[in-house]
């Protein structure tokens, strides 16, 4: 993956493109996403990097998974993606690290993401980017508390939680150590 500034710049450009493609002024996107106009403007100009929560809200508005949006700013993924080439995105503010193990690809409905949360990290998403999104979450290390469709589950190392997401979701690392888990995402 190219340096982080390059990815952030391409992400900013893509976010602006998506809004313009829909013919929305910043005020309309602010209304639809619940994100302030000034924050959206700074995101699109590349002055700030989006947090996981902000990207989640924008993905919901644009009907994309976060993986799909991030894949749109990366080069076309090869059939075999070496560990060194797997894109990594960090949200230092929330303590979330996301590695795209098997990024979205044209003609395929599934993807694999490795996520790591530092102890105490707590990330909420108001709604799924795509209603009915199928997820299988396999805890690799530590524990993660996942709330999906109004139900909360503690998923510990070796456990797997699976569901279709219709409502909001929340991922929280109860500690004491970090949680690392794989998410298998399948588009409906």
């Amino acid at each position: 993956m190219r340096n982080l500034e390059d990815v952030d710049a391409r992400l900013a450009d893509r976010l602006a493109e998506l809004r313009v493609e829909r013919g929305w002024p910043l005020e309309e996107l602010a209304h639809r996403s619940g994100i302030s106009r000034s924050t959206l403007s700074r995101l699109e100009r590349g002055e700030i990097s989006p947090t996981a929560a902000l990207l989640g809200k924008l993905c919901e508005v644009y009907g994309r998974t976060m993986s799909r949006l991030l894949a749109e700013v990366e080069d076309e993924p090869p059939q075999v993606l070496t560990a060194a080439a797997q894109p990594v995105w960090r949200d230092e503010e929330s303590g979330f690290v996301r590695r795209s193990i098997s990024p979205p690809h044209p003609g395929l409905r599934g993807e694999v993401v490795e996520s790591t949360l530092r102890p105490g990290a707590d990330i909420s998403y108001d709604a799924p980017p795509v209603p009915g999104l199928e997820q299988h979450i396999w805890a690799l290390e530590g524990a993660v508390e996942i709330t999906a469709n109004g139900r909360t589950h503690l998923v510990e190392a070796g456990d797997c939680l699976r569901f279709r997401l219709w409502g909001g979701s929340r991922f929280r690392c109860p500690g004491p150590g970090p949680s690392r888990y794989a998410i298998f995402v399948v588009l409906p």
Side-chain angles (χ1 to χ4, degrees):
M1 184 166 102
R2 294 184 228 176
N3 70 43
L4 187 56
E5 285 124 19
D6 192 28
V7 171
D8 281 346
R10 289 189 312 233
L11 181 57
D13 289 343
R14 184 62 184 137
L15 290 171
E17 287 171 4
L18 288 167
R19 181 180 57 78
V20 170
E21 284 171 7
R22 285 158 178 75
W24 296 342
L26 281 171
E27 292 79 15
E28 177 67 20
L29 181 56
H31 173 74
R32 290 174 182 261
S33 67
I35 302 169
S36 75
R37 183 192 182 287
S38 62
T39 298
L40 291 169
S41 178
R42 293 182 69 208
L43 280 172
E44 290 184 5
R45 290 192 315 263
E47 294 176 2
I48 60 173
S49 295
T51 63
L54 285 177
L55 268 186
K57 288 179 179 184
L58 291 171
C59 286
E60 178 186 346
V61 168
Y62 292 132
R64 284 171 165 66
T65 63
M66 190 179 302
S67 295
R68 187 144 317 266
L69 176 63
L70 292 173
E72 290 173 7
V73 299
E74 289 296 318
D75 298 326
E76 180 69 26
Q79 292 286 350
V80 174
L81 194 61
T82 63
Q86 294 166 356
V88 176
W89 181 76
R90 289 175 169 76
D91 178 359
E92 299 298 339
E93 183 178 314
S94 69
F96 176 57
V97 178
R98 181 184 190 290
R99 175 183 300 276
S100 190
I101 304 296
S102 176
H105 191 278
L108 300 176
R109 293 182 22 219
E111 62 187 89
V112 181
V113 174
E114 176 189 48
S115 297
T116 304
L117 292 173
R118 70 175 173 233
D122 192 339
I123 300 172
S124 294
Y125 302 97
D126 294 334
V130 178
L133 189 68
E134 182 180 343
Q135 294 186 21
H136 301 254
I137 302 173
W138 178 29
L140 302 170
E141 294 176 21
V144 60
E145 184 182 273
I146 300 167
T147 303
N149 302 319
R151 295 188 63 201
T152 300
H153 309 271
L154 181 64
V155 184
E156 299 177 301
D159 296 347
C160 184
L161 172 66
R162 58 190 183 173
F163 54 88
R164 283 192 179 276
L165 188 59
W166 299 100
S169 60
R170 177 180 175 208
F171 293 76
R172 188 179 79 80
C173 177
S179 63
R180 188 170 69 91
Y181 51 94
I183 303 177
F184 301 87
V185 178
V186 183
L187 291 171

